[in-house]
Amino acid sequence: KFSMIVRHLKPLVNTWALIQRPDDIRINPNQPLNFKKIDLSCKKHDGKVAESICEGHYDKFDLKGKYIISFYVNDIRGDISTPETIDINQTQGKAVISVQYDEQQAIVYLRDVIVGGKHKQAALKQQGDKFVAFAINDAETEFSPAASFDTILNQLIIPHVLVLGENYKVTFNYLGGLNFQLQSITPK
């Protein structure tokens, strides 16, 4: 359960919080994040006219890492506030895996891949029998073990990926032009 005090000039119509979990994918800037929306309930704070206390509940702090909570209010005129944001660092729970496969979209999300000594993040979309890199950025977080790109063997080596609920080691061959082909997948 969390709460915040809101000072406002006009009556509030809507209040909510968006929660970004440590396992949200933040690789492609054009792809929306999977925020959890929590509606907040508000009541007058100590009888003050222009001050309310707003409360909500979220019980999914189950992963290690940073949770970002952004609070928003909407007043009777339709104006939406600039968010107030807090970070919560969870030190207990399951660790976030550096590579994730989205079965529905057929995308491999690499949160941390070492390329030429630099930490990058990337997304590979399956297209037929190959995977095409469509988003590459600097990594926001470094993981251990990270995936790595071997420039001599032209291979992308992923030591740990979750696919359909199972853990695997995966190797892709680099075909050039941001195209990769699955070489091996081994259960861990």
Side-chain angles (χ1 to χ4, degrees), residues 64-80:
K64 288 181 185 177
K66 183 168 66 171
Y67 291 77
I68 302 169
I69 305 176
S70 300
F71 297 93
Y72 296 85
V73 298
N74 185 3
D75 68 20
I76 198 164
R77 290 186 355 194
D79 294 331
I80 297 176

Side-chain angles (χ1 to χ4, degrees), residues 125-132 181:
K125 173 82 173 153
Q126 186 173 2
Q127 295 179 353
D129 65 345
K130 64 183 175 182
F131 288 78
V132 179
Q181 188 167 39

Side-chain angles (χ1 to χ4, degrees), residues 16 22 35 43 49 56 63 65 67 70 76 86 99 101 110 116 129 133 150-151 166 175 180:
W16 67 95
F35 290 116
K43 60 184 176 188
V49 174
L63 295 173
Y67 291 77
S70 300
I76 198 164
I86 62 168
V99 179
Y101 179 67
L110 298 131
D129 65 345
D150 186 321
T151 56
E166 300 293 326
L175 304 174
F180 295 84

Side-chain angles (χ1 to χ4, degrees), residues 116-186:
K118 296 183 180 182
H119 289 266
K120 299 287 185 181
Q121 53 183 359
L124 307 175
K125 173 82 173 153
Q126 186 173 2
Q127 295 179 353
D129 65 345
K130 64 183 175 182
F131 288 78
V132 179
F134 68 91
I136 302 170
N137 296 317
D138 292 331
E140 293 182 10
T141 305
E142 294 180 12
F143 289 84
S144 181
S148 62
F149 181 72
D150 186 321
T151 56
I152 296 169
L153 298 174
N154 276 332
Q155 289 184 331
L156 173 61
I157 302 160
I158 303 171
H160 183 87
V161 62
L162 193 62
V163 179
L164 299 170
E166 300 293 326
N167 293 312
Y168 294 93
K169 177 181 179 183
V170 177
T171 303
F172 286 95
N173 287 327
Y174 180 59
L175 304 174
L178 300 178
N179 294 302
F180 295 84
Q181 188 167 39
L182 183 63
Q183 178 189 348
S184 67
I185 182 165
T186 310

Side-chain angles (χ1 to χ4, degrees), residues 2-43:
F2 50 84
S3 63
M4 68 174 184
I5 295 175
V6 178
R7 291 178 183 87
H8 49 89
L9 299 174
K10 303 288 180 187
L12 300 179
V13 174
N14 226 354
T15 56
W16 67 95
L18 295 179
I19 300 176
Q20 181 179 352
R21 294 172 46 87
D23 59 344
D24 280 341
I25 303 299
R26 296 179 292 279
I27 292 173
N28 182 354
N30 297 316
Q31 183 179 21
L33 293 170
N34 185 23
F35 290 116
K36 175 67 178 168
K37 182 180 178 189
I38 306 295
D39 290 319
L40 307 177
S41 60
C42 298
K43 60 184 176 188

